[in-house]
Amino acid sequence: MVALPSLRGLQAFEAAARTGSFAAAAEELSVSAAAVSQLIRTVEEQMGRRLFHRVNRRAVLTEAGVEMLPRLSMAFREIGSVARDVGGDAFPPRLVVSVPPSMAMGWLSERLAGFVAGHGAADISLRGDDDPVPFDHELIDIRLSYGPHYREHPTEEIVRDAVYPVCAPMLAGAIKSDSLAGLPLVHTDWGPTGASFPSWRNWFEAAGSEPGRATQRGLSANSSRAALDLAISGLGVALAQGVYCAQALEDGRLVRPGARSLKLRQPYCLTIPERSARRDVVAAFREWLIEECRRAVKSPVLDALSI
């Protein structure tokens, strides 16, 4: 049998490399930073390879360390899975969920209690990430994204949404037809690295209306959630995805000033790496998340003409 390096040392290396800090690894493992450093040195001596460059009191992964990290992380993840399977309820399943930041800031966090109530306790790590996401480095189990970004992993299209003009009820009385003339507009810009979000100019042109100077003025937000909050606050009319605005329309915090909507160019997609696909908690979360997204997008308050 091949002699194995210290398991505790490998665990210390994995934690330090994953967190990027000996101090953070020490806190995670309930030991001192000096102990983490010594454990890693022991593994380096046993393997005959340097795993960290120590430069100016900083530790930077070597090529050998970079190569080892994802494989060790998956190995410890599998060990944890075995412990949970054998230990039952003593070890609740761990689930790493990655979604766009706007979805993490309210939409999904408000609904997670429903998943736990229906499927039992789980150690859920909810991440709000822009694309691309490092699946293996962060051990992400399931990723919801706008557009099919991850063809190297199993990916499915789950729903195609649209954007709808929405505003606070206090503004609705001043709106005539679909013109929205003279009202403050809230613009959403996902930035130079994000996907192209439908603009107010797109909406006016598709509706057969003259865009005018209003499409160049008003408040602007770089996230869908922030734009929605500005509309709820009464500061203007925003173009909001159905998945985000349906609940606020249903409970009366927002109203639709016109029936027209504009379809998004890409669908929302769900990506699950093969290492996670066989886990029961991932399958359960996948089914639940798809149902929540489709329920929002198909809400009766959104049932109107799209252009």
Side-chain angles (χ1 to χ4, degrees):
M1 180 180 293
V2 177
L4 295 176
S6 162
L7 182 61
R8 188 64 168 165
L10 290 174
Q11 188 179 24
F13 162 74
E14 190 277 337
R18 171 170 43 81
T19 62
S21 164
F22 280 27
E27 182 176 354
E28 182 177 307
L29 300 176
S30 299
V31 298
S32 68
V36 168
S37 179
Q38 183 56 50
L39 285 167
I40 293 173
R41 286 185 186 276
T42 298
V43 169
E44 289 178 325
E45 291 172 0
Q46 291 172 334
M47 297 184 64
R49 303 288 296 274
R50 293 288 297 275
L51 302 178
F52 285 101
H53 292 299
R54 294 165 177 83
V55 182
N56 296 328
R57 301 181 66 180
R58 294 179 61 247
V60 180
L61 282 172
T62 64
E63 291 185 7
V66 171
E67 182 180 353
M68 281 179 57
L69 176 59
R71 298 169 68 181
L72 272 181
S73 294
M74 285 188 282
F76 282 119
R77 178 69 165 275
E78 186 63 22
I79 292 171
S81 178
V82 170
R84 285 188 289 269
D85 290 343
V86 174
D89 293 340
F91 295 92
R94 180 165 176 77
L95 181 67
V96 182
V97 179
S98 174
V99 297
S102 286
M103 184 162 282
M105 295 185 297
W107 189 91
L108 186 53
S109 58
E110 292 171 355
R111 289 164 169 77
L112 275 181
F115 173 77
V116 174
H119 298 85
D123 289 339
I124 300 175
S125 174
L126 176 59
R127 301 170 51 92
D129 297 317
D130 292 317
D131 293 303
V133 298
F135 277 90
D136 290 336
H137 187 271
E138 301 296 340
L139 296 180
I140 293 170
D141 291 306
I142 188 166
R143 166 67 180 175
L144 178 68
S145 58
Y146 175 62
H149 294 278
Y150 305 102
R151 294 303 191 187
E152 69 274 21
H153 297 292
T155 299
E156 59 182 320
E157 298 181 3
I158 62 170
V159 70
R160 186 175 289 271
D161 204 353
V163 293
Y164 304 82
V166 294
C167 66
M170 67 182 74
L171 287 181
I175 298 172
K176 297 180 180 179
S177 183
D178 278 356
S179 68
L180 308 183
L183 289 175
L185 301 179
V186 177
H187 305 272
T188 303
D189 184 356
W190 286 346
T193 61
S196 177
F197 189 83
S199 68
W200 274 110
R201 176 173 292 277
N202 297 147
W203 187 86
F204 278 111
E205 289 176 348
S209 303
E210 176 60 37
R213 297 183 61 188
T215 60
Q216 303 172 14
R217 303 178 62 182
L219 293 165
S220 179
N222 67 352
S223 78
S224 299
R225 177 70 189 191
L228 191 68
D229 288 343
L230 291 172
I232 292 173
S233 299
L235 295 176
V237 186
L239 286 174
Q241 298 101 302
V243 70
Y244 293 143
C245 70
Q247 184 63 52
L249 289 168
E250 291 171 3
D251 62 28
R253 287 176 294 156
L254 288 173
V255 296
R256 289 181 60 186
R260 295 187 177 276
S261 60
L262 189 62
K263 290 181 180 178
L264 289 175
R265 296 180 178 90
Q266 299 187 71
Y268 282 101
C269 297
L270 212 56
T271 302
I272 301 175
E274 291 184 359
R275 59 175 162 74
S276 301
R278 297 188 300 274
R279 301 180 61 217
D280 291 342
V281 67
V282 175
F285 193 86
R286 169 193 169 276
E287 183 177 350
W288 174 83
L289 182 57
I290 290 174
E291 178 60 27
E292 288 295 315
C293 289
R294 290 177 177 171
R295 180 183 294 117
V297 170
K298 294 180 180 179
S299 171
V301 296
L302 302 175
D303 187 16
L305 176 67
S306 294
I307 53 178

